[in-house]
Amino acid sequence: MNAHTPQSLEWSDLDLRAVDTVRALAMDAVEKSGNGHPGTAMSLAPAAYLLFQKVMRHDPATPDWVGRDRFVLSIGHSSLTLYIQLYLAGYGLELDDLKALRQWDSLTPGHPEVGHTAGVETTTGPLGQGVGNAVGMAMAARRERGLFNPDAGPGASPFDHHVYAFCSDGDVQEGVSHEASALAGTQNLGNLIMIWDDNQISIEDDTRIAHSEDVVARYAAYGWHVEEVDWTATGEYVEDIQALHQAILRGKAETERPTFIRLRTVIGWPAPNKQNTGGIHGAAIGADEISATKEILGLPDAPFAVEDTVIEHTRRALDRGREARTEWETAFHAWHTSAGEKGELFDRLQSGKLPEGWEKALPSFDPSEKGVATRKASGEVLGAIAPLLPELWGGSADLAGSNNTTPKGEPSFLPFDRASSMFPGNPYGRVLHFGIREHGMGSILNGIALHGPTRPYGGTFLVFSDYMRPAVRLAALMKLPVTYVWTHDSIGLGEDGPTHQPIEHLWALRAIPGLDVVRPADANETVVAWRRTLENTDRPTALALTRQNVPTLDREEYGAVEGAAQGGYVLAEATGGSPEAIIIATGSEVQLALSARTELEEAGTPTRVVSMPCVEWFEEQSEEYRAQVLPPSVRARVSVEAGIAMGWRSYVGDAGVSVSLEHFGASAPYETLYERFGITSEAVVTAVRDSLVKAGN
């Protein structure tokens, strides 16, 4: 049940005093830190206060309450806009935390970080990402309603709530915000309300030097409901809170479109000398300017001064939050009592557990059949487990047929009028269509994961992970269980040529701390990769999958596929169990390693082949296990991967050799490319012999 915001706004002198206190605290915190962004926090103080004290349904004492509205500060540099509201409302921040802005081990880092500070819903800072996060949260909220309470009337479900976001001039300039906002319009996300702080100032001062489009018209063209509130319209600066409140109410009443509110402000108001300048955007404004501003506001000229009456007034948010949560819990318990299987699903998803025995549905691939592309194997995994895991949903950036991201028979997540004969769907479906918007897809996936309780995945070609990288990095930073289905993982995609053939991408992605990059060797390793990915709940996973068929390995001849869950394992042991050389390979190149081993063994060189689908998982294993797989005494080592060798050097050592690709690809059948570029079993044999010489064998 979504409680209604009162249609009339009570805005007292004490509310005004609290808002002016916010401005003073913003100036003081940045001044004490010596750096930061006071201006936006000053001018957005009334809007932020309005949301946290008058509009949003939230309980500061229970920040993770399922029924809460969400707030996204896409303007991450203006972290004080959020921190001060969290302090006033009673989320646990106190004045000492504001005094510690941007300092070591404080709860108030330079940009908000989810999981670090109570009340922060997402880590923001890179502009535009928060816009995508908010879109993802709104999509997740609709999917959540569909899973648990699809038949409830509008506003009558415990799972009805709103997502509010603040964005800046910088946010609307970033391309990722365009991608996400366009999709939000297509999806008719009526539960999303975004307020644009149109202050026309950035670090380089007046934004007119680089920004001239009609943003409101752009959002109208996306299909958003748009509102305009101009506090400069009279020629004087008048903070018309009632007008903003009414615009928000109209946005809440609009259930078929997301709402975009242009709020024209003056940055740094009412600082007498620095308001409306780049000088107040991202720097301390100095003691004299602070004193002059506080004099205008009628506040004491003392740092971090908060009157008892103000904090007592704002902390009433705790009482209101408790009342709202109690009311919600009554409705929730009524739903849960009669929800049956849907209630059981809710409980399971809230616990973060997978259904017992779900892994029994995973497919197994017979080595007697012809080769299978790992992208196809991945698609078969999704199709097999989709009925058991309704929380797992996702799609592709217009490459579903290539990425194999559409489980057969599952409906698309679409407004009814957007469904097609190829993709029938409904507003509560599970197949996502991101369009050709990889960057937006990444930020939306993060928003879905942040909102909970579902598990999102998104697909494109591996080479286009470059478009997604900022969002992927943030997913790793936030420890979000997002899965990336990146196919066409090497020159093996063939004729599309060098623009589409990833060369540096695997190691560039492995360089992101906290991201698991998994490149399975065959269909059954792909199954294990998906299983372990879904068992992980605290980090993102990238699946790098082949376009071309690869042999399904006979596990009666080779090491058990369960070894893939350790990241690296002995796939083929050397004759006699004591290798003179080790070949480490990933993905489609494992077959080359096995072929080379056969030739080397026949020539009298005992050779071990290690399949290394995931470096990160391997590094998690004990030192003892890693030494068993890669004995330090065996110095003759070769890595085989159709990409740059960079990170393999630490595995092959000073006597090692890498069979790799240190240049861009070309357009030709993939068999030709592997031969022309020297990624062959013959090249692996030669590399092993060279390494043996280096090792003194």
Side-chain angles (χ1 to χ4, degrees):
M1 183 194 68
N2 197 356
H4 296 288
T5 302
Q7 295 297 301
S8 60
L9 174 65
E10 293 184 9
W11 195 260
S12 67
D13 288 343
L14 204 46
D15 290 316
L16 285 172
R17 192 72 168 176
V19 168
D20 288 341
T21 300
V22 172
R23 304 186 211 273
L25 289 173
M27 293 186 292
D28 289 339
V30 174
E31 194 69 18
K32 187 173 190 305
S33 169
N35 57 78
H37 298 77
T40 297
M42 294 169 69
S43 50
L44 274 184
Y49 184 88
L50 176 66
L51 284 184
F52 275 84
Q53 294 286 332
K54 308 291 184 178
V55 173
M56 290 198 309
R57 184 179 66 183
H58 64 115
D59 181 4
T62 313
D64 58 352
W65 166 32
V66 169
R68 71 192 183 279
D69 290 335
R70 268 63 165 183
F71 174 76
V72 174
L73 183 73
S74 195
I75 319 168
H77 58 266
S78 185
S79 57
L80 286 165
T81 294
L82 178 54
Y83 293 153
I84 297 173
Q85 296 307 320
L86 298 179
Y87 157 65
L88 292 178
Y91 274 85
L93 291 184
E94 297 298 345
L95 279 178
D96 283 346
D97 297 304
L98 299 181
K99 293 175 183 178
L101 178 72
R102 293 176 162 240
Q103 303 309 303
W104 173 257
D105 203 29
S106 78
L107 292 174
T108 49
H111 295 84
E113 298 176 23
V114 69
H116 183 75
T117 309
V120 174
E121 299 279 7
T122 179
T123 298
T124 53
L127 290 172
Q129 289 288 333
V131 173
N133 295 166
V135 172
M137 290 178 185
M139 292 168 67
R142 193 169 87 196
R143 174 68 178 163
E144 178 184 52
R145 191 188 206 273
L147 286 175
F148 303 136
N149 199 202
D151 300 324
S157 170
F159 305 102
D160 287 332
H161 55 268
H162 280 82
V163 178
Y164 297 91
F166 280 174
C167 70
S168 64
D169 292 316
D171 288 292
V172 298
Q173 290 174 50
E174 288 283 3
V176 64
S177 70
H178 152 70
E179 294 183 18
S181 297
L183 186 59
T186 299
Q187 284 289 351
N188 296 356
L189 297 178
N191 57 349
L192 173 60
I193 297 175
M194 187 160 67
I195 299 174
W196 169 37
D197 177 30
D198 177 21
N199 63 43
Q200 301 178 6
I201 293 292
S202 63
I203 289 176
E204 294 185 1
D205 206 78
D206 195 328
T207 59
R208 288 180 300 176
I209 61 174
H211 187 217
S212 59
E213 76 267 23
D214 186 336
V215 175
V216 173
R218 176 153 60 91
Y219 272 82
Y222 292 149
W224 290 52
H225 166 72
V226 298
E227 295 274 350
E228 296 190 66
V229 178
D230 188 349
W231 287 348
T232 69
T234 64
E236 305 220 350
Y237 195 63
V238 179
E239 293 179 329
D240 190 343
I241 308 301
Q242 296 288 347
L244 178 57
H245 183 246
Q246 289 301 309
I248 292 171
L249 291 181
R250 288 190 292 271
K252 291 188 69 171
E254 172 55 72
T255 60
E256 294 300 317
R257 292 181 292 171
T259 292
F260 182 78
I261 301 173
R262 174 207 177 223
L263 177 63
R264 178 70 175 96
T265 67
V266 169
I267 191 171
W269 190 87
N273 301 302
K274 294 195 175 182
Q275 64 174 274
N276 205 30
T277 70
I280 205 167
H281 172 91
I285 64 175
D288 291 344
E289 186 76 352
I290 291 174
S291 296
T293 306
K294 288 181 178 178
E295 183 176 355
I296 292 170
L297 294 172
L299 295 176
D301 189 8
F304 299 98
V306 179
E307 297 167 0
D308 291 343
T309 54
V310 167
I311 197 67
E312 288 170 5
H313 180 65
T314 62
R315 290 284 167 93
R316 290 176 188 165
L318 286 161
D319 297 329
R320 292 190 298 272
R322 183 171 56 253
E323 291 171 6
R325 181 167 51 83
T326 300
E327 180 184 355
W328 178 88
E329 286 174 347
T330 300
F332 172 80
H333 289 310
W335 165 80
H336 197 278
T337 300
S338 59
E341 291 183 356
K342 287 183 170 57
E344 293 174 3
L345 176 63
F346 174 87
D347 294 341
R348 178 174 70 77
L349 298 194
Q350 285 302 116
S351 73
K353 295 179 180 178
L354 295 166
E356 190 170 345
W358 74 277
E359 66 277 1
K360 295 176 183 175
L362 290 166
S364 178
F365 295 86
D366 192 326
S368 66
E369 299 176 1
K370 67 175 184 177
V372 178
T374 55
R375 63 166 176 162
K376 184 176 186 296
S378 172
E380 293 192 27
V381 170
L382 285 172
I385 64 178
L388 295 176
L389 302 178
E391 66 267 36
L392 182 64
W393 63 313
S396 172
D398 199 56
L399 289 167
S402 292
N403 300 148
N404 294 91
T405 49
T406 305
K408 188 175 181 180
E410 296 290 343
S412 291
F413 180 87
L414 287 169
F416 287 112
D417 62 351
R418 299 283 183 185
S420 68
S421 57
M422 179 176 289
F423 290 106
N426 61 73
Y428 300 144
R430 72 186 300 175
V431 177
L432 290 169
H433 305 282
F434 293 99
I436 307 165
R437 303 184 180 102
E438 293 89 353
H439 198 178
M441 176 172 70
S443 63
I444 289 168
L445 291 171
N446 287 350
I448 292 172
L450 285 160
H451 183 281
T454 58
R455 293 283 299 265
Y457 63 86
T460 186
F461 289 177
L462 178 59
V463 75
F464 300 134
S465 64
D466 281 346
Y467 282 143
M468 301 178 65
R469 191 178 180 89
V472 174
R473 183 178 188 273
L474 283 168
L477 182 63
M478 292 188 277
K479 301 181 179 180
L480 301 180
V482 175
T483 303
Y484 308 106
V485 182
W486 287 330
T487 68
H488 297 60
D489 67 340
S490 72
I491 55 170
L493 68 88
E495 291 86 347
D496 275 342
T499 61
H500 283 51
Q501 293 166 358
I503 302 300
E504 74 279 19
H505 297 73
L506 289 167
W507 277 110
L509 290 163
R510 289 170 181 144
I512 298 176
L515 173 67
D516 295 341
V517 181
V518 192
R519 189 172 186 241
D522 73 346
N524 287 315
E525 275 198 10
T526 305
V527 174
V528 173
W530 262 111
R531 192 196 72 211
R532 166 130 194 212
T533 294
L534 292 173
E535 289 171 346
N536 291 338
T537 59
D538 61 352
R539 56 193 183 274
T541 303
L543 302 178
L545 306 172
T546 68
R547 176 198 186 214
Q548 75 274 27
N549 290 338
V550 292
T552 301
L553 302 175
D554 186 347
R555 298 298 167 164
E556 291 188 4
E557 180 181 355
Y558 298 114
V561 73
E562 281 301 312
Q566 274 72 52
Y569 66 108
V570 178
L571 179 63
E573 184 55 285
T575 300
S578 297
E580 291 183 11
I582 298 174
I583 306 172
I584 309 166
T586 78
S588 50
E589 287 72 73
V590 168
Q591 60 185 304
L592 304 180
L594 292 172
S595 178
R597 171 185 173 273
T598 299
E599 183 175 338
L600 289 162
E601 290 267 348
E602 289 174 352
T605 302
T607 304
R608 172 184 291 182
V609 172
V610 170
S611 177
M612 185 82 78
C614 182
V615 169
E616 294 78 18
W617 294 347
F618 184 68
E619 290 298 325
E620 285 179 2
Q621 307 308 311
S622 68
E623 184 176 351
E624 180 183 13
Y625 175 81
R626 286 182 279 128
Q628 288 174 356
V629 175
L630 300 175
S633 60
V634 183
R635 295 180 58 237
R637 300 183 184 185
V638 169
S639 66
V640 192
E641 188 170 71
I644 62 171
M646 188 167 64
W648 291 119
R649 295 179 185 119
S650 65
Y651 287 92
V652 299
D654 60 347
V657 177
S658 290
V659 176
S660 63
L661 197 61
E662 305 298 329
H663 54 78
F664 294 119
S667 178
Y670 78 88
E671 299 93 339
T672 301
L673 295 176
Y674 272 88
E675 181 181 353
R676 292 285 185 173
F677 292 148
I679 302 177
T680 62
S681 59
E682 292 82 6
V684 177
V685 169
T686 299
V688 168
R689 289 173 174 158
D690 289 346
S691 184
L692 286 165
V693 171
K694 286 185 176 183
N697 291 28

